[in-house]
Amino acid sequence: MNVYAIIDSFAYRVDMRRRRRRADGRVDRFPLAKLTSEEKQQARQRWDGCSLKGFQFYKAYCGKIDPNCVPADYYDFVEHVLNLRWSSFFLQHKCNLKYFIPAEHRPKTILQKIDGHWVTEDNVEVNQDEAVAMLKKHEVMVGKIAMGTGGGKGVQKFYAEDITFDNKNFRDLMQQHDVVFQKVLRQNDFLNQFNADSVNTFRIVTLNLNGKCSVLTAVFRMGAKGSFVDNLTSGGGMLVGIKQDGSFHDFGIRKSYEKVYESPTGLVFKGMKVPNWEEIKQTVMAFHQHIPYANLISWDITLDQDGNIVVVEVNLDSGELEIYQLYNGPIFGDRLDEVRAYVESRKPSLRHAMITY
């Protein structure tokens, strides 16, 4: 074994310990069930060296464990092998969706700021005064930090009268290096009935590997009444799992993982089904097949007022694994061994590790 392989092996072990501490911290705040000796043995046979706390979490909520559920520390590592860092940074930048998703399937862009440069949708650069004048022409818009955010952070609604540097929220956003302003999405009646105050979205996870693309899991997210964003953390909302056939699970969850059985508007989840779910899945998989730079994508999708599929953003790391597996079981399903074989074949060299970690 050469010196680089020794260093890389050591770096890998240190990194996995870091990931394990972070994964354990996510579930430590929730009730955890005690595993039997047999359950521990089953999990360790499948996931030697990985954290077992996720299995305690699933047992507490589901009453049993499935050893094919992926531990969070291993999944965190897998995300960064399936989606290398250099491509993830570019793909997750909200101003770059236009290079991969057709215009009719994206929010309508008013203006973008990329690394300090104000540009139009067609990449024509304008100065700050021109940028402000362009924004003032719109009655209402959404302003977002374009990179390095999650959980709905940095998403705000602005009206024409807010487009002034006397407005602290507008001033603070304008000082960011990467920003996007978009027209407000008008969602269709099906989504609107769950909460008209927020843009409600589907989180759909797809795997495109070895020439095959498939939907792994999905949830539906809705904001709390009065909240503009749908996220659990920023919007105070809730989500509900979606089965492969598009029907909802019987219960949703809040940020505290408290079970709820109705939407903010009082709709009972049990028995509900997403219209045209198969078409939505097929469209998202087709999008993924045009993005060869990432093997695992978590899509935030909504439906506009005409029912057209709109990609709000893509996510390539920090997936909500515990939520996915709580609802629909092992994240990779019957593709687990395929994913593990791929990861094993890409055992990072020192240079690979520096790029992806």
Side-chain angles (χ1 to χ4, degrees), residues 8 12 77 81 342-350 352 357:
D8 184 62
Y12 172 77
F77 172 67
V81 176
Y342 177 88
V343 171
E344 193 66 25
S345 73
R346 303 275 295 220
K347 276 292 187 183
S349 64
L350 179 64
H352 186 183
Y357 292 1

Side-chain angles (χ1 to χ4, degrees), residues 238-250:
M238 63 179 70
L239 59 79
V240 61
I242 304 175
K243 302 173 186 178
Q244 279 290 343
D245 67 355
S247 58
F248 286 169
H249 283 263
D250 293 352

Side-chain angles (χ1 to χ4, degrees), residues 185-199:
L185 280 165
R186 307 295 181 189
Q187 63 193 356
N188 75 347
D189 291 340
F190 175 78
L191 300 187
N192 220 38
Q193 65 181 330
F194 293 95
N195 186 14
D197 296 326
S198 63
V199 175

Side-chain angles (χ1 to χ4, degrees), residues 198-349:
S198 63
V199 175
N200 307 309
T201 61
F202 302 102
R203 168 65 65 88
I204 303 174
V205 185
T206 57
L207 175 70
N208 188 27
L209 192 65
N210 299 326
K212 177 184 176 183
C213 190
S214 53
V215 170
L216 299 180
T217 192
V219 297
F220 175 58
R221 306 185 301 186
M222 63 215 87
K225 252 190 127 38
S227 174
F228 178 61
V229 295
D230 67 343
N231 202 274
L232 279 181
T233 53
S234 297
M238 63 179 70
L239 59 79
V240 61
I242 304 175
K243 302 173 186 178
Q244 279 290 343
D245 67 355
S247 58
F248 286 169
H249 283 263
D250 293 352
F251 68 91
I253 56 172
R254 298 189 189 276
K255 181 181 178 181
S256 63
Y257 278 59
E258 167 200 358
K259 289 184 178 181
V260 290
Y261 296 88
E262 297 179 356
S263 73
T265 54
L267 291 173
V268 176
F269 295 131
K270 185 175 182 178
M272 297 203 73
K273 189 172 183 178
V274 182
N276 303 319
W277 182 242
E278 195 58 38
E279 178 187 348
I280 293 171
K281 291 196 299 181
Q282 292 299 325
T283 301
V284 173
M285 286 190 286
F287 290 155
H288 195 163
Q289 289 169 317
H290 286 88
I291 306 179
Y293 309 100
N295 296 297
L296 181 68
I297 299 181
S298 296
W299 303 81
D300 288 344
I301 304 290
T302 192
L303 304 174
D304 70 14
Q305 57 191 353
D306 298 317
N308 299 313
I309 296 166
V310 178
V311 179
V312 178
E313 64 181 43
V314 297
N315 304 273
L316 288 92
D317 55 31
S318 305
E320 300 168 322
L321 178 68
E322 289 83 10
I323 292 173
Y324 303 150
Q325 296 192 143
L326 183 156
Y327 276 115
N328 292 325
I331 181 72
F332 294 118
D334 60 7
R335 302 191 70 180
L336 174 59
D337 290 336
E338 178 188 358
V339 170
R340 295 190 73 176
Y342 177 88
V343 171
E344 193 66 25
S345 73
R346 303 275 295 220
K347 276 292 187 183
S349 64

Side-chain angles (χ1 to χ4, degrees), residues 143-158:
K144 308 177 185 178
I145 298 173
M147 66 178 299
T149 62
K153 180 182 177 183
V155 179
Q156 302 175 70
K157 183 186 284 188
F158 293 97

Side-chain angles (χ1 to χ4, degrees), residues 42-161:
Q42 288 178 333
R44 284 174 177 150
Q45 283 178 343
R46 198 70 164 119
W47 305 102
D48 183 39
C50 291
S51 173
L52 299 185
K53 281 199 174 181
F55 293 101
Q56 293 179 264
F57 170 79
Y58 300 131
K59 184 177 180 181
Y61 274 86
C62 305
K64 60 181 180 179
I65 73 161
D66 184 333
N68 289 317
C69 280
V70 180
D73 47 347
Y74 183 79
Y75 183 77
D76 190 43
F77 172 67
V78 167
E79 282 184 321
H80 297 139
V81 176
L82 292 173
N83 303 326
L84 298 183
R85 283 296 198 193
W86 67 266
S87 57
S88 293
F89 288 139
F90 182 83
L91 288 168
Q92 292 186 105
H93 196 296
K94 295 177 179 64
C95 296
N96 293 332
L97 268 182
K98 62 186 178 184
Y99 297 115
F100 305 99
I101 306 299
E104 63 269 25
H105 294 294
R106 289 185 277 111
K108 306 303 180 187
T109 298
I110 298 171
L111 196 62
Q112 301 172 322
K113 190 180 187 183
I114 303 173
D115 196 25
H117 297 268
W118 286 107
V119 294
T120 66
E121 171 80 342
D122 299 323
N123 290 333
V124 176
E125 188 161 359
V126 298
N127 61 40
Q128 181 169 278
D129 290 341
E130 291 171 323
V132 172
M134 289 177 64
L135 295 175
K136 282 181 174 291
K137 293 179 181 178
H138 296 270
E139 182 181 348
V140 60
M141 68 209 77
V142 177
K144 308 177 185 178
I145 298 173
M147 66 178 299
T149 62
K153 180 182 177 183
V155 179
Q156 302 175 70
K157 183 186 284 188
F158 293 97
Y159 294 90
E161 58 265 29

